[in-house]
């Protein structure tokens, strides 16, 4: 069917034998499809509610809107790109900067909404002009730099906001995430962040029981106070069923400029994921790339229009497909419906929101660093040549401006800082230098784009990376 809802039964509907795959327009029996949908829920679950907490947004609403956005995504791509849209990490740095400048929830979601519309517009351009336009405007050297400065710009947030709330819980949580990601196998490695969050929560409760209250920085009070690490009062008061808290966005130019660089990261992320799915399904999905990016932009705009978190395609769920060799979009519809039901449980949201600050400190040490290193991953996969000054100089300037939170003031009410300035410096300087450089320097660039951006917690999934190979 045109919308990709006409699934054919694969064989007799039982688990396919080794070597066989279930294609996106096929499905197993409905009980097995529901089981696969549950796997996709678990795979996306940790990051989808951790990132809203880090950004100060409602995790319940994020979970619910991830389900809505996933259904919308699958309809737009007509079922050709099986993928789940969870909460995006690409906006974390922008949100931290907006809040540091005094912006509230409405300002944050307004900036994200405009970025989502910009991403959707880019998707339309790519759809009509072809995938090659990505490389022309955002080559891997630029994309990698933007992703890197988005992640490393967040280091002061860890040091000044989360870590001081409970340093020992933070340190132990970091250790759990590292050990789980490296030493565990398969599914358990992919949910290393979720394991760290649960372990940190339990450890905080034990510290309260053994040592009593802690005297430390309390962001809610804005000062050092004596308080319990775990406070479940809001959980007791929350109901079991109800709508999450919704709010309308507010649009401020300064905040929008800070959020727009995340569009670069999302284009790279979606490109990498579509290429991974194409490789696994042995299907040419380049004609669907623009639609996928457009759909992600629409999903982000829709979610933020009601106060939700930005969305992106998830490598975690691509890992589930690589492991099961079941690419059926029916399982993603099941996962989306389950996510919507989770979002309609305020008690669950209150429990997630009660995550102690020290636990977030331990998790963000790993996550923020990984976001930054994804930029290096893009460079490595695309064999970016930093011996070429056309690559080296603009990236060097942009990284320091972005990571160091350098500011450029135009008027009392308008300035470019940090991520926005670093991105602008990188993109503009690169294209100006490339236009002015001698021919032999312009030719020393990769001739294809293979880069992506995904948070590869645990083992690298089969087919999730399509490394660039030089032509013989």
């Amino acid at each position: 069917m045109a919308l990709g809802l006409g699934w054919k039964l694969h064989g007799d509907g039982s688990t396919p034998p080794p070597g066989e795959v279930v294609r996106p327009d096929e499905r197993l029996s409905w009980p097995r499809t529901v089981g696969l949908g549950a796997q996709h829920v678990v795979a996306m679950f940790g990051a989808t509610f951790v990132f809203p907490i880090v950004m100060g947004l409602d995790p319940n609403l994020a979970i619910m809107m991830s389900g809505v956005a996933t259904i919308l995504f699958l309809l737009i791509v007509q079922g050709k790109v099986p993928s789940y849209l969870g909460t995006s990490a690409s906006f974390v740095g922008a949100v931290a900067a907006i809040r540091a400048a005094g912006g509230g929830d409405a300002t944050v979601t307004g900036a994200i909404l405009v970025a989502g519309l910009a991403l959707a517009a880019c998707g339309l351009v790519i759809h009509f002009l072809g995938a090659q336009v990505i490389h022309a405007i955002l080559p891997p050297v630029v994309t990698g730099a933007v992703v890197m400065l988005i992640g490393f710009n967040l280091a002061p947030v860890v040091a000044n906001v989360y870590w001081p709330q409970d340093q020992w819980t933070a340190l132990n949580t970091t250790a759990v995430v590292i050990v789980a990601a490296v030493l565990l196998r398969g599914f358990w490695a992919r949910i290393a962040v979720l394991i760290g969050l649960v372990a940190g929560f339990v450890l905080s409760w034990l510290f309260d029981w053994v040592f009593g209250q802690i005297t430390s920085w309390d962001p809610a009070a804005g000062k050092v106070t004596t308080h319990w690490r775990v406070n479940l009062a809001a959980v007791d008061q929350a109901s079991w069923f109800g709508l999450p808290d919704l709010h309308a966005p507010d649009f401020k130019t300064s905040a929008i400029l800070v959020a727009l660089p995340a569009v670069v990261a999302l284009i790279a992320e979606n490109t990498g994921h579509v290429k991974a799915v194409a490789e696994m399904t042995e299907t040419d999905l380049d004609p669907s790339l623009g639609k996928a990016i457009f759909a992600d932009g629409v999903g982000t705009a829709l979610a933020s229009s009601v106060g939700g978190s930005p969305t992106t395609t998830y490598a975690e769920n691509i890992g589930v497909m690589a492991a099961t060799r079941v690419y059926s979009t029916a399982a993603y519809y099941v996962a989306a419906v389950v996510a919507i039901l989770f979002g309609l449980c305020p008690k669950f949201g209150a429990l997630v929101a009660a995550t102690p600050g020290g636990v977030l400190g331990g998790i963000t040490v790993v996550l923020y660093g990984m976001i930054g290193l994804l930029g290096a991953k893009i460079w490595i996969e695309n064999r970016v040549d930093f011996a070429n000054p056309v690559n080296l100089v603009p990236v060097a300037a942009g990284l320091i401006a972005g990571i160091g939170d350098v500011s450029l003031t135009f008027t009392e009410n308008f300035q470019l800082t940090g991520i926005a300035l670093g991105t602008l410096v990188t993109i503009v300087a690169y294209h100006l230098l490339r236009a002015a450089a001698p021919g032999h320097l312009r030719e020393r660039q990769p001739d294809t784009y293979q880069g992506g951006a995904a948070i590869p917690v645990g083992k690298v999934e089969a087919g999730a990376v399509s490394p660039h190979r030089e032509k013989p």
Side-chain angles (χ1 to χ4, degrees):
M1 292 178 66
L3 295 178
L5 297 176
W7 299 288
K8 296 175 291 187
L9 189 66
H10 180 87
D12 61 359
S14 60
T15 303
E20 283 192 24
V21 301
V22 179
R23 302 192 62 78
D25 61 346
E26 298 178 326
R27 65 169 177 84
L28 300 178
S29 65
W30 281 113
R32 288 181 173 83
T33 297
V34 170
L36 285 165
Q39 286 188 57
H40 282 299
V41 170
V42 174
M44 68 84 183
F45 199 70
T48 296
F49 75 73
V50 166
F51 290 129
I53 297 174
V54 171
M55 291 187 285
L57 297 173
D58 184 352
N60 250 45
L61 184 56
I63 291 286
M64 185 180 80
M65 292 308 296
S66 76
V68 174
T70 296
I71 292 174
L72 182 63
F73 177 91
L74 294 172
L75 292 174
I76 291 175
V77 299
Q78 298 176 304
K80 294 181 180 179
V81 185
S83 193
Y84 192 91
L85 262 61
T87 303
S88 171
S90 299
F91 288 90
V92 173
V95 171
I98 292 169
R99 291 194 183 279
D105 289 351
T107 304
V108 164
T109 51
I112 293 172
L113 190 154
V114 174
L117 294 177
L119 180 65
C122 291
L124 289 177
V125 171
I126 292 167
H127 178 68
F128 288 110
L129 297 184
Q132 67 274 10
V133 73
I134 296 176
H135 180 74
I137 300 174
L138 298 172
V141 61
V142 169
T143 304
V146 174
V147 173
M148 180 172 285
L149 68 85
I150 285 174
F152 292 161
N153 176 269
L154 292 166
V157 177
V158 179
N160 300 326
V161 177
Y162 295 124
W163 197 272
Q165 294 182 49
D166 188 352
Q167 60 178 359
W168 297 113
T169 297
L171 182 63
N172 282 282
T173 301
T174 298
V176 170
V177 174
I178 293 172
V179 169
V182 175
L183 299 184
L184 297 183
R185 296 290 184 269
F187 163 75
W188 296 106
R190 287 196 293 271
I191 62 167
V193 173
L194 180 59
I195 291 173
L197 186 144
V198 173
F201 216 120
V202 172
L203 185 64
S204 296
W205 177 79
L206 287 174
F207 280 2
D208 278 344
W209 183 56
V210 175
F211 302 114
Q213 293 183 322
I214 186 173
T215 300
S216 66
W217 172 256
D218 183 351
K223 60 182 179 180
V224 174
T225 65
T226 299
H227 55 273
W228 296 107
R229 298 168 181 82
V230 179
N231 184 351
L232 301 179
V235 179
D236 294 335
Q237 297 170 5
S239 58
W240 283 101
F241 181 81
L243 283 172
D245 294 329
L246 308 178
H247 70 258
D250 183 33
F251 303 100
K252 291 203 167 34
T253 304
S254 57
I256 291 170
L257 290 174
V258 172
L260 281 176
V263 172
V264 177
L266 286 174
I267 290 174
E269 191 162 31
N270 279 277
T271 300
H273 289 172
V274 170
K275 286 182 178 294
V277 173
E279 185 176 302
M280 289 189 296
T281 59
E282 298 181 351
T283 305
D284 179 15
L285 291 179
D286 277 358
S288 297
L289 176 59
K291 287 183 180 180
I293 293 173
F294 170 78
D296 187 15
V298 172
T300 292
L302 176 64
S304 55
S305 70
V306 295
S309 301
T311 62
T312 187
T313 50
Y314 258 29
E316 291 89 336
N317 297 91
I318 292 175
V320 172
M321 290 193 295
T324 62
R325 299 181 67 79
V326 177
Y327 310 121
S328 172
T329 56
Y332 281 106
Y333 278 100
V334 170
V337 171
V338 172
I340 292 172
L341 293 176
F342 263 118
L344 294 173
C345 179
K347 194 172 285 290
F348 162 76
L351 178 62
V352 172
T355 304
V359 178
L360 293 178
I363 290 173
T364 52
V365 161
V366 180
L367 284 179
Y368 292 174
M370 289 173 65
I371 294 170
L373 289 176
L374 291 176
K377 175 174 176 280
I378 292 173
W379 290 337
I380 292 169
E381 289 174 0
N382 291 276
R383 301 183 184 277
V384 173
D385 177 15
F386 281 111
N388 186 344
V390 174
N391 294 332
L392 178 64
V393 176
V395 166
L399 283 178
I400 293 301
I403 296 172
D405 250 350
V406 174
S407 63
L408 188 64
T409 301
F410 294 89
T411 68
E412 184 177 341
N413 298 318
F414 177 71
Q415 61 179 4
L416 290 173
T417 61
I419 295 173
L421 181 61
T423 300
L424 187 64
V425 168
T426 302
I427 295 176
V428 173
Y430 172 82
H431 284 290
L432 288 177
L433 280 177
R434 181 168 168 76
H440 70 282
L441 292 180
R442 290 199 301 270
E443 291 169 2
R444 287 166 54 185
Q445 305 291 337
D447 57 1
T448 58
Y449 182 86
Q450 303 286 350
I455 297 185
V457 175
K459 306 298 176 290
V460 176
E461 299 90 347
V465 174
S466 181
H468 173 76
R469 293 179 176 86
E470 293 181 335
K471 293 181 178 179

